[in-house]
Amino acid sequence: MSRRGVHDIAIVGAGMVGASLALRLAQEGFDVAMIETREPAGWSANDDVDLRVVALAPSSVGFLDRTGAWKSIQSSRASPFRKMCVWDSIAPGELTFDAADRGESALGYIVENRLIQSVLWQNLQRTRIALRVPAKVIATESNADRRTLTLDDGAALNARIVIAADGADSTLRDLLHIDTATRDYSQRAIVAHVKTERPHQSTAWQRFLPNATLAFLPLADGRSSIVWSLPTADAERVLALDDAAFCRELGAAFDVRLGTVNTATKRAAIPLRMRLADSYTAPRFALIGDAAHVVHPLAGQGVNLGLRDAAELADILIEARDAKRDFAAEHVLRRYERRRRSDDALSAYAFDAIQRIFGTDFPPLAALRGAALNMTDRIAPLKRALARHAAGR
């Protein structure tokens, strides 16, 4: 602990975003405390693949590599995807990306949430980071040189800056009365793993349907992880189907691109919404990850945006500290907010617009979006720009 019993940085939330930021800052010599309500579930290669997976962009892989976590993740069970194919169920039109066109081996990796969290947690335990688990923040206040967190056991923890990475329903965001712009999509994302007649071709597939989107993501064991976003009533009906009926309906929705769907695991459903915090900062305080923003999963960018938050904030704090400035000063945190909130907001509202446009079956609009997919696929500079943005570059 720093002099006078004040940590440099306290991070609340040890999920992917919070834990990776803690490791990065600890590497740079910051005195870091981590507060988490419970230890993450362990991971074993003998376990079935976690239902929750993420599509890590190259920027996210790079950041995880800088924390020292990526090699363990990659060697455990990570599936590279080399191509991406997007098409519409109503209008002709298709957009494809190929890593080979950019001279790269992969566009990204499909990795289980639990695997990433398990590796990060193991790495946290090997550091000098002060872990407070289980612990919950119930109050906070700031003064000129620190922010104080009151924990549920009555203890107080002081830090020069507190970073909230405590998820979409962030307690700290609420304690600081930071409002959010929210949209409930009245949809649920059904997730499962399926085995198809033909191999997934190391390709991430996405099909737009009326009022729905469907993604097939390649897993390391040859199966595909599906994310099927449907209106709530339709999702409940699909969840109630027996396995054979579910596989038939899923295969039809996917246009039988990989042949018949032969088997499926158990299914789960996740309510969908968009949420964007009005502000990312307060005195000696910053929001990152889902605490700052939640986006529609159709582009698979949620965790990538969060890891970009972490990377940006780490760089800004390190730069200020190395320049002998107060790294928790308002003007320093404002730099982080300007850089990240604009990108996060652009992404959130862009995904929202795509969901609205591709979610309708209005014929003229369907024809326009099909033409737009074809046009984008043929205009190389535009296609490259989209690929760079998705990669986090």
Side-chain angles (χ1 to χ4, degrees), residues 57-193:
S59 62
S60 297
V61 171
F63 184 62
L64 290 170
D65 193 40
R66 293 184 76 181
T67 71
W70 176 245
K71 286 184 179 178
S72 294
I73 294 168
Q74 185 179 24
S75 64
S76 297
R77 199 156 61 192
S79 177
F81 60 97
R82 299 178 174 86
K83 295 181 181 179
M84 182 180 297
C85 181
V86 182
W87 79 105
D88 192 279
S89 64
I90 297 178
E94 190 165 294
L95 176 61
T96 60
F97 298 94
D98 192 326
D101 294 339
R102 296 159 48 192
E104 297 179 356
S105 60
L107 294 174
Y109 290 81
I110 307 301
V111 190
E112 300 155 66
N113 287 28
R114 194 168 70 236
L115 168 57
I116 299 172
Q117 291 174 335
S118 179
V119 171
L120 289 171
W121 183 255
Q122 291 170 31
N123 287 7
L124 285 173
Q125 292 178 308
R126 299 187 188 107
T127 69
R128 298 180 65 183
I129 293 170
L131 298 174
R132 297 295 299 268
V133 183
K136 182 178 180 181
V137 176
I138 59 172
T140 182
E141 60 181 4
S142 68
N143 60 30
D145 67 348
R146 72 187 68 179
R147 177 168 286 278
T148 299
L149 300 174
T150 303
L151 306 183
D152 55 353
D153 63 0
L157 188 148
N158 296 294
R160 293 178 65 185
I161 178 175
V162 170
I163 299 168
D166 53 343
D169 298 315
S170 170
T171 296
L172 274 166
R173 188 187 62 223
D174 291 343
L175 287 172
L176 272 79
H177 307 291
I178 297 175
D179 292 332
T180 61
T182 302
R183 181 189 174 197
D184 187 337
Y185 287 106
S186 299
Q187 288 186 332
R188 297 172 74 184
I190 297 174
V191 293
H193 302 323

Side-chain angles (χ1 to χ4, degrees), residues 307-357:
L307 290 171
R308 287 174 209 165
D309 294 344
E312 187 72 54
L313 183 55
D315 287 346
I316 287 172
L317 295 177
I318 293 165
E319 180 184 347
R321 190 273 313 271
D322 290 350
K324 310 297 185 185
R325 300 196 302 269
D326 179 4
F327 55 80
E330 181 179 1
H331 70 275
V332 174
L333 298 182
R334 288 292 185 190
R335 287 178 59 205
Y336 160 70
E337 181 173 51
R338 285 194 301 271
R339 292 181 184 180
R340 287 308 310 153
R341 192 178 184 282
S342 58
D343 183 52
D344 292 336
L346 177 63
S347 297
Y349 287 111
F351 301 152
D352 183 70
I354 291 170
Q355 191 275 334
R356 292 173 187 265
I357 292 169

Side-chain angles (χ1 to χ4, degrees), residues 255-295:
D255 201 24
V256 204
R257 274 288 175 114
L258 299 178
T260 58
V261 177
N262 294 325
T263 62
T265 63
K266 65 179 182 180
R267 295 154 244 163
I270 306 159
L272 299 184
R273 58 185 171 175
M274 181 191 77
R275 175 174 280 172
L276 182 66
D278 291 349
S279 172
Y280 278 19
T281 64
R284 299 194 171 270
F285 177 82
L287 292 170
I288 63 172
D290 285 357
H293 49 78
V294 176
V295 301

